[in-house]
Amino acid sequence: MVKHVIAPAADLLPGDRLVAEVAGSKVVIFNLDGEYFGLFNRCPHQGGDLCLGRTTGLVEAGDAPGQYSYSRRGEILRCPWHGWEFDIRTGKSRAEPGRIRAKTYDVEVKSGSELFDGPYQAETVLVRIEEDYIVVDA
């Protein structure tokens, strides 16, 4: 698999996302509190741009009627076209997790000095080896 250098990690703050072209496909990359995840930017339902979707969390029933809890803030992505929800970490659909999923991409952060000798293709960034970079396997 070819690795693609996308952007300096400092450019994608926690809670933010960016869209990058990786090997001819648009990938939306999310920073979830310092962990990075990539999803193909098309909803598997009818092709909506996932980069335009709203992020939310999970509302789960509590122990008694009327009680609930809110968890996983910012980790669920809602497609802007029809509201289908996907787990950003896994790509799994919230409605049918065993059958429907958004394609995921492995994303990691590498230091500039690690990239200097690597088999990477830099795309649309000026590479400075003193920074950490977001890298996508495609």
Side-chain angles (χ1 to χ4, degrees), residues 82-102:
H82 300 107
W84 283 38
E85 294 181 336
F86 299 91
D87 185 324
I88 291 171
R89 292 177 179 275
T90 66
K92 290 182 179 180
S93 162
R94 294 287 304 148
E96 295 187 58
R99 193 172 76 81
I100 299 171
R101 66 176 48 231

Side-chain angles (χ1 to χ4, degrees), residues 117-137:
D117 292 325
Y120 305 100
Q121 296 179 359
E123 296 181 7
T124 69
V125 295
L126 296 173
V127 176
R128 293 181 303 261
I129 66 170
E130 66 275 359
E131 295 187 50
D132 291 336
Y133 292 89
I134 299 167
V135 178
V136 175
D137 285 337

Side-chain angles (χ1 to χ4, degrees), residues 8 24 29-30 35 37 42 54 56 63 74 87 95 110-111 131:
I29 301 168
F30 297 87
E35 293 182 85
F37 300 90
R42 302 209 29 103
R54 187 174 252 192
T56 185
D63 296 333
D87 185 324
K110 295 279 191 179
S111 70
E131 295 187 50

Side-chain angles (χ1 to χ4, degrees), residues 47-81:
D49 287 334
L50 291 178
C51 67
L52 301 175
R54 187 174 252 192
T55 57
T56 185
L58 293 179
V59 176
E60 299 174 293
D63 296 333
Q67 291 183 342
Y68 65 91
S69 65
Y70 187 74
S71 63
R72 301 195 57 202
R73 181 180 303 274
E75 295 184 18
I76 306 301
L77 179 65
R78 187 173 295 146
C79 176
W81 284 10

